[in-house]
């Protein structure tokens, strides 16, 4: 299994506060069958995203945990005007390492009216947006058809695995199920932050997805 959304680097955002916890998260992920994790620290008004510095942290964490899981660097990218302009000017700065994919996170309080146009501009730069956990966003989960329209535009949708198991509440679970049933979800990820609550476990969500859409599709959502 591949986990494309995780907060495993210490003291860079709201994830772990020590290297010990970072190592514990990675080892728990490996024990669950996750072979590759993408570290996706936030890039927003609160947390500055320095790609070179963060890559150094990823490299150090890899030395601490050994070969498994394999680590790569990406970003949990807040779709703000300033961030968008920087991503358009530097298309490789925020994407998942070695790919064209960019994890895009929305505020819980507003969704920009120009989002569709922003996605078009990213696409024109060769970037494919991955909309992160729309089932948890209180605005998007009330207008899931809008998410489906972005899928038609070429976006990818990532669901938090634990939303399918009820961790984020019934509204989030129902929204996640709707997205899967309407073929508007492509990837399951952990969005792991620690080893106690927001944990690096994906296998349970894969099994839950299999009950909704069948084992073959569930396997596909846990691998890229």
């Amino acid at each position: 299994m591949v986990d494309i959304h995780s907060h495993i680097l210490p003291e860079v955002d709201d994830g772990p506060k020590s290297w010990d916890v970072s190592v514990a998260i990675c080892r728990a992920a490996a024990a669950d069958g996750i072979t590759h994790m993408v570290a996706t620290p936030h890039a927003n008004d609160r947390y500055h995203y320095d790609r070179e510095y963060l890559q150094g942290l990823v490299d150090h964490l890899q030395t601490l945990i050994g070969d498994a899981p394999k680590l790569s660097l990406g970003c949990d990218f807040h779709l703000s005007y300033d961030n968008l302009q920087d991503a358009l000017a530097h298309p490789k700065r925020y994407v998942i390492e070695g790919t064209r994919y960019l994890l895009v996170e929305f505020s819980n309080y507003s969704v920009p009216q120009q989002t569709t146009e922003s996605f078009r501009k990213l696409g024109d730069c060769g970037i494919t947006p991955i909309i992160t956990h729309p089932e948890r966003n209180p605005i998007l989960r009330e207008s899931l058809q809008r998410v489906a329209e972005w899928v038609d535009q070429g976006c990818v949708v990532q669901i938090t695995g634990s939303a399918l198991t009820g961790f984020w509440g019934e509204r989030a679970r129902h929204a996640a199920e709707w997205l899967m049933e309407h073929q508007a979800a492509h990837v399951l990820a952990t969005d792991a932050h620690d080893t106690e609550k927001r944990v690096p476990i994906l296998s349970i969500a894969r099994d839950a997805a299999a009950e909704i859409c069948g084992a073959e599709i569930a396997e596909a959502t846990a691998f890229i």
Side-chain angles (χ1 to χ4, degrees):
M1 292 183 292
V2 178
D3 184 11
I4 68 165
H5 186 175
S6 67
H7 297 265
I8 56 176
L9 301 179
E11 299 184 330
V12 298
D13 58 13
D14 57 343
K17 303 306 179 187
S18 71
W19 286 106
D20 287 344
V21 176
S22 294
V23 169
I25 293 173
C26 292
R27 288 179 175 163
D32 188 54
I34 295 172
T35 58
H36 191 154
M37 296 186 83
V38 182
T40 54
H42 287 286
N44 55 30
D45 291 341
R46 181 178 179 186
Y47 300 112
H48 175 64
Y49 187 87
D50 183 332
R51 182 90 184 196
E52 183 176 353
Y53 171 73
L54 293 167
Q55 184 62 58
L57 297 184
V58 170
D59 294 342
H60 181 63
L61 182 55
Q62 190 77 76
T63 65
L64 294 177
I65 64 172
D67 295 333
K70 184 181 185 303
L71 304 180
S72 299
L73 180 61
C75 176
D76 200 355
F77 182 88
H78 181 70
L79 193 62
S80 65
Y81 176 82
D82 289 341
N83 265 3
L84 177 64
Q85 297 308 308
D86 197 46
L88 294 175
H90 307 94
K92 294 183 178 180
R93 178 171 292 171
Y94 301 98
V95 296
I96 296 174
E97 180 181 339
T99 79
R100 65 180 188 275
Y101 295 102
L102 172 68
L103 271 67
V104 175
E105 179 183 43
F106 288 95
S107 165
N108 285 339
Y109 305 104
S110 65
V111 175
Q113 291 184 346
Q114 65 273 23
T115 295
T116 299
E117 177 64 13
S118 296
F119 285 157
R120 185 194 65 77
K121 289 179 179 178
L122 288 170
D124 289 345
C125 281
I127 296 173
T128 300
I130 300 179
I131 303 168
T132 64
H133 49 69
E135 78 286 349
R136 288 165 41 198
N137 184 288
I139 299 174
L140 292 180
R141 71 183 175 210
E142 299 302 325
S143 56
L144 293 174
Q145 187 58 44
R146 189 178 186 187
V147 178
E149 291 170 0
W150 289 331
V151 170
D152 291 339
Q153 186 182 351
C155 294
V156 174
V157 170
Q158 173 256 302
I159 290 175
T160 306
S162 56
L164 287 175
T165 61
F167 178 81
W168 295 95
E170 285 302 297
R171 287 185 178 180
R173 184 174 67 82
H174 288 311
E177 291 176 350
W178 188 95
L179 290 166
M180 298 203 73
E181 290 167 353
H182 287 78
Q183 299 180 349
H186 307 87
V187 186
L188 294 174
T190 68
D191 196 1
H193 282 62
D194 53 52
T195 57
E196 297 180 0
K197 294 182 179 179
R198 299 177 68 174
V199 296
I201 303 300
L202 206 51
S203 59
I204 298 174
R206 179 194 58 198
D207 294 343
E211 295 184 7
I212 299 169
C213 56
E216 184 176 354
I217 293 177
E219 288 290 334
T221 62
F223 291 84
I224 59 171

